Amino acid sequence: MSEQPTAPTKSKGKKKAKSAEKAAKTPKIEAQPAAAPPPPRPPELPAFEAPLLSGEQREIIEKMSANLARAALTAQGAIADAALRQAERPAALSPDPFHVAPALSDVMGKLASQPDKMVRAQADLFQRYLELWQSAARKAAGETVEPVVSPAKGDKRFNDPDWAENPVFDVIKQSYLLTSNWLNALVSDVQDVDPMSKRRVEFFMKMLTDAFSPSNFLASNPAALREAMSTQGESLLRGMENFAADLQRGGGQLSISQTDYEMFEIGRNVATAPGKVVFQNEVLQLIQFQPTTEQVHEIPLLIFPPWINKFYILDLRPENSMIRWLADQGFTVFVASWVNPDKELADKTFEDYMRQGIYEATAAAMEQAGVDRVNTVGYCIGGTLLSSTLAHMAAKGDKRIASATFFAAQQDFAEAGDLLLFTNEDWLGDLEKQMDAAGGVLSGQAMADTFNMLRSNDLIWSFFVSNYLMGKEPKPFDLLFWNSDQTRMPKALHMFYLRKFYGQNALAKGELVMDNVKLDLSTVKTPVYVQSSKEDHIAPMRSVYRGAKLFGGPVTFTLAGSGHIAGVINAPVANKYQHWTNSDLPATPEAWMDGAKEHPGSWWPHWAEWLRAKSGGLVDARDPAKGKFKPIEDAPGSYVKVKS
């Protein structure tokens, strides 16, 4: 019998009714597509585990960290102290200290007006960079390739082997050289602008590109990085200590040490030639040096060095002392040791230096030696003063000077060196304010900074790298000790010199008036010997030659190798460099050079032969202690020891 379905009970019916009612009230949910599968999980990386360091390695890292921190704190403290000091002198903070902005606008404006030239220049730079990249790729592949660009001859910034051997530093070096050469050439090729404006921008661009050399930065200097690693950062700490000391020494302005100043003492190991101070006035001491021969030439020799520096460039060491060498040749040697003036002498003029310098010193030397004539030497600015005085003496009929020799001295400033760039009125106005603030004198440090800028790679950046990035102590070097021993300048004298000679070229034009006398160098019939140096950047050969052509008497011109100092101070015993002679004095220096004969070694013997012919016969040697004047003190005297 088939089973029949069971009838629903009352409770089940109620549940079904409620369920249907609930379903009717619930919104209908439409079917959704299936969700995307989650992305695959990346493979798990192994947990990082710090390498196990030995105790020695941990010690090295800790030491380097400590040294870097101490170096940073030292630098921060020094800079903060300098900033506070500079805040007291807001006039020193100039947005354009070189007054290059107007000249830069002229040059850049001319470049902007020649877009085709700019496009060609940019294309050339891009092409050079392509060559560099290709060269670097070939070198990385193991090929031997020649550099696309190399440092100029004598550029010592990239002497470290890694600049050539390490491919990274090699590319950094060549990239810098390509860009800096391009920038400097871009400016030098500009046409139709004021020559002085162009020259000012060229100088500024050279300073700028020199400053941005990769050798001047720790991160891009392989030698400095190697030193920092090998010393665990001690080199950087020492460098920042040197930096702080130089800021302190400069009174808040960076005065980069060029040598170990404690190693030298005037009169002990420099300026040691024996002699006596036999005369002095407000502007100089006259030193007569001890003879070294039994007989001397009758007419003595009186040397007028530049008053910007101390006289002992002529007497650094016995082996290169010009003073000692001249005494050994049988000359009675006098030297003017100029005063290091303070604000009490701020009103001293160029005429005062002529009268109290040339006139009074020659008179005293003649009286001391018992003669009526002297031979003279003028070095650099001392030669400019001497030549002006010769023209004054010619106008007065004064014939006390038997001959005049000029070392690296200028009379015609039309083609003077880069110092011309510091003589426009904007610059001179700032200079006057600076001297007024200092009581009427220009500080010796300001003079040193100006001359250092003329050779920034040698006299600024090389010491910046060595002293601060490498943490080295400057080496003892007598020449650099002398170079830093600058004197102050009286305002009246200095402004007259800059404006009348550099600014107006008044002496060469016959327009200079001193003591109510218009000076004319063509009236000077005194025999003249002119020495110039081939690489002189302060008194360039072309400028010195122009001056030699102005004298009215017989002139002998000689060209020495090297520069403003080494070209002059080149003792024969060193057997260094060379010199050129030519008995003629044609119209141009190029013509003179074409007819000149080259000789090895120092030019001093050639000059001594010329000087002997102007110095009379032989007489008994003169003892400085037994002359007309009672000695005041021993050489080198007290004036030369006054520090700025």
Side-chain angles (χ1 to χ4, degrees), residues 24 32 74 79 153 233 268 413 421 462 496 502 533 556 615:
Q32 299 292 322
T74 302
I79 292 171
K153 182 181 179 181
R268 181 177 65 84
F413 289 76
L421 304 176
S462 65
F496 179 91
Y502 275 97
S533 297
T556 299
S615 299

Side-chain angles (χ1 to χ4, degrees), residues 217-279:
F217 299 90
L218 175 64
S220 53
N221 186 317
L225 287 172
R226 192 165 55 245
E227 187 73 10
M229 294 299 295
S230 66
T231 63
Q232 289 88 56
E234 285 186 5
S235 62
L236 298 178
L237 176 57
R238 292 195 302 266
M240 291 307 97
E241 289 172 346
N242 291 341
F243 176 73
D246 285 348
L247 275 176
Q248 180 69 28
R249 188 168 58 88
Q253 293 180 313
L254 188 61
S255 177
I256 301 177
S257 298
Q258 296 178 333
T259 187
D260 185 349
Y261 302 110
E262 302 301 320
M263 289 294 294
F264 299 99
E265 182 182 345
I266 296 173
R268 181 177 65 84
N269 53 7
V270 292
T272 58
K276 303 289 183 183
V277 175
V278 297
F279 170 83

Side-chain angles (χ1 to χ4, degrees), residues 157-316:
R157 294 175 294 175
F158 305 106
N159 280 356
D160 189 275
D162 272 348
W163 285 115
E165 297 170 5
N166 185 299
V168 174
F169 289 115
D170 183 37
V171 169
I172 290 174
K173 173 194 69 179
Q174 293 194 62
S175 297
Y176 161 74
L177 292 173
L178 283 178
T179 305
S180 62
N181 291 349
W182 182 80
L183 284 169
N184 287 302
L186 192 65
V187 172
S188 64
D189 290 343
V190 172
Q191 303 296 324
D192 302 325
V193 294
D194 176 65
M196 191 54 66
S197 294
K198 178 180 174 180
R199 188 169 174 182
R200 183 167 282 108
V201 176
E202 286 177 326
F203 181 79
F204 173 77
M205 191 62 69
K206 181 68 166 59
M207 284 185 58
L208 191 66
T209 53
D210 285 349
F212 284 114
S213 168
S215 58
N216 298 336
F217 299 90
L218 175 64
S220 53
N221 186 317
L225 287 172
R226 192 165 55 245
E227 187 73 10
M229 294 299 295
S230 66
T231 63
Q232 289 88 56
E234 285 186 5
S235 62
L236 298 178
L237 176 57
R238 292 195 302 266
M240 291 307 97
E241 289 172 346
N242 291 341
F243 176 73
D246 285 348
L247 275 176
Q248 180 69 28
R249 188 168 58 88
Q253 293 180 313
L254 188 61
S255 177
I256 301 177
S257 298
Q258 296 178 333
T259 187
D260 185 349
Y261 302 110
E262 302 301 320
M263 289 294 294
F264 299 99
E265 182 182 345
I266 296 173
R268 181 177 65 84
N269 53 7
V270 292
T272 58
K276 303 289 183 183
V277 175
V278 297
F279 170 83
Q280 72 180 39
N281 57 26
E282 285 183 300
V283 303
L284 60 73
Q285 285 188 320
L286 183 66
I287 305 172
Q288 181 183 355
F289 289 92
Q290 193 73 35
T292 59
T293 58
E294 292 185 1
Q295 290 188 310
V296 295
H297 289 279
E298 179 187 11
I299 301 176
L301 179 67
L302 171 52
I303 303 175
F304 293 99
W307 55 83
I308 292 173
N309 303 99
K310 307 289 184 67
F311 82 85
Y312 62 89
I313 185 61
L314 305 167
D315 186 36
L316 284 175

